[in-house]
């Protein structure tokens, strides 16, 4: 009995020691995690996890730690363990898990996670973007294949990233260790702090041997992502909060990032100053200059940021001072990470984001700049620049189409690698909208037909006349919605809406016109004769919608052709509403139709009209009778009865 008791006591002691050891290990790892020492935290967490210990909070932090150091395949492993333990997680974990799943090519499961993220997120911009662009993979595919990509041949086994043109040279950040025996290590990744290096871009495209950029610029902390003015005399760059041998920390004792400016004088870089909108309490990084060098763009998590980091712009005044930073807004920024801006000579904003729909991790996106905070549609630049991993720091000479970007994709030499590319074709997707206008009855091609193109706001884009074969053509933009209107003497005007494909090519829209000359006499209802649908009034409204006014133009054309014709406008409703309400509504509609015709040149003494409400139903759908929407619609009609024609 004593032996048995001793045996159980020993087991309990071992279990207690194991439990104590696991708790102590997790506590130690948590402290490393909170200090952003992710590599060290991962080592401790994984040592405990590999012994079979399962803990929801530990799996969250393990997944996050790998996510934050951009090792998404490993993040997927631990997020999978997390969701296996408990499917009910905060929305952000669904999004990160989806990004991690993309990194291993599991897009079907990633889509499921994004659907759940969408359900759990009320106003998250990333959820709205996903819901709006569920065919995003098709759009990315359409944008892909435009670049030839190759290794830049300047990479080390460490992290190399964030390049910039400086005359005929490429300046970039690297964690390669070219110093002495001792080196400072960045705890986030356990790599050396980055310095700036420079490599000559030779005539044939070959890259020179990378060399340290400048001792006055490089410090014992991070330097990265420079940008130079066109004259090469001024440089903006990112550095840790460190100036004149003094380092600054935030309230958590973390040394954040700041932007600095340096001047080249007598071939020596100096006069390093920090920009006035820096702070010890948030990071400001990754500068980019507008083509006119009057605006500086950058990434930051300063107050007013929508997500983990946003893109901002700031005016550079003529006297060298700076305006107030302006957030680029919800067209660009999301609750995720927007970072590494670059402004091309064509005034296009390229940036990296994991908030807009992409292939996984950070992807490179582009949007044409319309104003300080207004942009054209954000587009993913596609593969092979983008991959399932992090792709960022896009840089391009728009004249030659040559450029560089950074990625941690599989097959690279180091932690991050710089790749070079040649753009073979522009991203702009162009479509040709064409068709043939014919007679509806005979099929005869109708030359000299006026064809008008309207955008989705019903603004006139262009007007042409068909050739002898009845053909028309318009250059249009991919993915946009247009309306095409065809008009010809003695034919009814016809208009159709068309959505243009998102892939470059040709869209056909033939239109068949109906002859206007028909037998009309006193008592004829022009609405029936001219096939006018009751579509020019919104439900329960009495104003004529802009896009449907051309239906009334048919009546207008007949009355212009017969200047003595008089019309009685009769408006009817269905039975859904009270009789009193329907009388009033139909009467307002009749008066609106009359007012429109008068405004367009018809004398008031040629027009009469009133509303009849639900008093003249054409079918059984009276009060209390269950009818289909189509049956009710038959009762909602306008009549244009000819009461005199001579």
């Amino acid at each position: 009995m004593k032996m048995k008791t001793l045996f159980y006591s020993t087991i309990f002691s071992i279990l207690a020691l194991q439990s104590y050891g696991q708790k102590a290990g997790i506590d130690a790892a948590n402290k490393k995690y909170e200090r952003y020492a992710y590599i060290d935290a991962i080592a401790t967490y994984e040592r405990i996890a590999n012994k079979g210990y399962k803990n929801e909070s530990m799996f969250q932090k393990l997944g996050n730690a790998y996510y934050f150091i951009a090792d998404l395949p490993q993040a997927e492993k631990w997020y999978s363990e997390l969701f296996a333990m408990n499917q009910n997680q905060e929305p952000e974990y669904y999004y990160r898990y989806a990004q991690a799943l993309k990194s291993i090519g599991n897009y079907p499961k990633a889509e499921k996670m994004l659907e759940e993220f969408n359900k759990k997120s009320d106003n998250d911009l990333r959820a709205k973007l996903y819901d709006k662009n569920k065919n995003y993979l098709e759009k990315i595919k359409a944008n892909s294949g435009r670049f030839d990509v190759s290794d830049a041949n300047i990479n080390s086994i460490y992290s190399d990233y964030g390049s910039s043109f400086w005359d005929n040279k490429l300046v970039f950040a690297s964690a390669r260790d070219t110093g002495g025996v001792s080196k400072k290590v960045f705890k986030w990744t356990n790599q050396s702090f980055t310095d700036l290096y420079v490599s000559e871009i030779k005539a044939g495209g070959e890259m020179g041997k990378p060399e340290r950029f400048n001792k006055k610029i490089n410090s014992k902390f991070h330097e990265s992502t420079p940008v130079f003015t066109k004259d090469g005399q001024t440089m903006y760059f990112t550095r840790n909060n460190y100036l004149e041998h003094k380092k600054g920390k935030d309230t958590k004792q973390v040394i954040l990032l700041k932007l600095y400016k340096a001047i080249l004088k007598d071939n020596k870089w100096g006069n390093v100053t920090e920009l006035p909108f820096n702070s010890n309490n948030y990071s400001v990084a990754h500068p980019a200059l507008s083509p006119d060098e009057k605006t500086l763009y950058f990434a930051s998590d300063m107050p007013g940021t929508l997500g983990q980091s946003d893109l901002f712009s700031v005016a550079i005044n003529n006297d060298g001072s700076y305006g107030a930073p302006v957030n680029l807004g919800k067209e660009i920024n999301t609750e995720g990470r927007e970072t590494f801006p670059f402004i091309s000579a064509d005034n296009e904003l390229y940036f990296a984001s994991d908030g807009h729909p992409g292939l996984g991790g950070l992807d490179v996106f582009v949007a044409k700049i319309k104003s300080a905070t207004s942009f054209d549609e954000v587009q993913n630049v596609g593969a092979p620049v983008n991959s399932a991993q992090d792709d960022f720091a896009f840089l391009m000479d728009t004249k030659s189409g040559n450029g560089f970007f950074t990625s941690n994709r599989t097959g690279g030499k180091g932690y991050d690698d710089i790749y070079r590319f040649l753009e073979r074709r522009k991203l702009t997707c162009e479509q040709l909208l064409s068709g043939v206008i014919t007679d509806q009855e005979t099929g005869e091609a109708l030359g000299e037909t006026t064809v008008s193109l309207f955008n989705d706001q019903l603004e006139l884009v262009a007007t042409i006349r068909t050739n002898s074969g009845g053909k028309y053509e318009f250059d249009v933009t991919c993915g946009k919605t247009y309306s095409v209107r065809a008009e010809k003497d003695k034919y009814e005007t016809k208009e159709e809406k068309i959505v243009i494909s998102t892939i470059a090519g040709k869209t056909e829209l033939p239109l068949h016109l109906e002859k206007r000359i028909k037998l009309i006499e006193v008592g004829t209802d022009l609405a029936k004769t001219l096939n006018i649908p009751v579509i020019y009034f919104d439900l329960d409204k009495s104003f004529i919608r802009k896009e449907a006014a051309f239906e009334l133009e048919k009546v207008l054309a007949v009355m212009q052709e017969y200047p003595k014709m008089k019309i009685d406008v009769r408006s009817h409703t269905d039975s859904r509403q009270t009789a009193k309400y329907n009388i009033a509504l139909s009467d307002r509609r009749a008066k609106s139709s009359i007012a429109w015709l008068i405004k367009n040149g018809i004398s008031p003494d040629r027009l009469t009209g009133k509303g009849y409400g639900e008093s003249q139903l054409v079918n059984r759908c009276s009060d209390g009778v269950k009818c289909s929407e189509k049956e009710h619609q038959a009762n909602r009609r306008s009549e244009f009865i000819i009461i005199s024609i001579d």
Side-chain angles (χ1 to χ4, degrees), residues 200-479:
E200 182 184 0
I201 305 173
K202 298 184 179 180
E206 182 183 349
M207 302 297 295
K209 182 181 178 181
E211 299 177 353
R212 282 186 180 272
F213 178 67
N214 184 274
K215 290 183 179 179
K216 289 285 186 180
I217 301 300
N218 288 329
S219 71
K220 62 182 180 179
F221 291 104
H222 280 304
E223 279 79 33
S224 69
T225 52
V227 65
F228 298 85
T229 52
K230 292 172 185 175
D231 62 10
Q233 303 299 299
T234 301
M235 173 178 66
Y236 298 91
F237 66 100
T238 306
R239 180 195 279 173
N240 278 118
N241 188 354
Y242 182 78
L243 185 63
E244 296 179 352
H245 307 291
K246 295 179 181 179
K247 59 186 178 182
K249 297 182 179 181
D250 69 358
T251 54
K252 295 181 180 179
Q253 299 302 299
V254 176
I255 303 174
L256 300 177
L257 299 175
K258 287 187 173 184
L259 287 184
Y260 296 84
K261 177 182 176 181
I263 304 296
L264 183 65
K265 187 175 182 180
D266 299 328
N267 290 320
K268 294 181 180 179
W269 287 102
N271 193 24
V272 177
T273 56
E274 70 166 277
L275 300 192
F277 44 85
N278 288 326
S279 171
N280 290 344
N281 296 314
Y282 53 78
S283 285
V284 182
H286 313 318
L289 281 168
S290 61
D292 62 7
E293 300 183 349
K294 293 182 179 180
T295 306
L296 185 72
Y297 293 80
F298 58 90
S300 179
D301 60 351
M302 65 174 58
T305 301
L306 300 176
Q308 297 165 48
S309 65
D310 279 7
L311 297 185
F312 292 79
S313 67
V314 65
I316 303 174
N317 301 319
N318 292 333
D319 61 1
S321 63
Y322 301 87
V326 177
N327 189 296
L328 296 194
K330 294 181 179 181
E331 289 181 276
I332 300 298
N333 294 315
T334 71
E335 285 82 354
R337 295 177 293 169
E338 278 69 47
T339 185
F340 292 99
F342 165 73
I343 314 299
S344 74
D346 294 334
N347 208 35
E348 292 176 318
L349 167 65
Y350 288 85
F351 63 100
S353 171
D354 64 3
H356 292 268
L359 296 176
L362 291 169
D363 271 17
V364 176
F365 296 83
V366 62
K368 187 77 173 179
I369 301 172
K370 295 195 292 188
S371 68
T373 57
S374 179
F375 304 85
D376 276 339
E377 179 187 6
V378 172
Q379 296 191 69
N380 187 300
V381 303
V385 166
N386 287 327
S387 69
Q389 306 296 326
D390 277 346
D391 309 289
F392 56 99
F394 185 94
L395 169 73
M396 181 170 65
D397 173 17
T398 52
K399 289 184 179 179
S400 67
N402 288 295
F404 297 84
F405 70 96
T406 304
S407 179
N408 68 343
R409 64 188 58 191
T410 303
K413 187 175 182 179
Y415 185 78
D416 291 310
D417 290 296
I418 297 173
Y419 294 84
R420 67 184 311 158
F421 65 79
L422 173 63
E423 185 183 46
R424 292 293 185 183
R425 62 179 175 87
K426 294 292 184 181
L427 179 61
T428 305
C429 178
E430 296 178 345
Q431 270 265 347
L432 183 68
L433 173 60
S434 65
V436 176
I437 311 299
T438 59
D439 183 295
Q440 182 171 294
E441 295 179 11
T442 66
E444 175 189 359
L446 298 178
E448 294 301 310
T449 300
T450 300
V451 184
S452 301
L453 180 72
F454 298 85
N455 63 19
D456 59 354
Q457 300 300 311
L458 298 171
E459 298 165 335
L460 181 63
V461 176
T463 298
I464 61 172
R465 293 178 76 84
T466 58
N467 61 19
S468 58
K471 188 172 183 180
Y472 73 89
E473 289 184 345
F474 293 110
D475 291 321
V476 293
T477 303
C478 296

Side-chain angles (χ1 to χ4, degrees), residues 494-507:
K494 188 166 187 178
E495 182 175 313
E496 285 194 19
K497 188 177 288 187
I498 183 77
V499 179
I500 306 302
S501 169
T502 57
I503 301 173
K506 190 173 181 179
T507 298

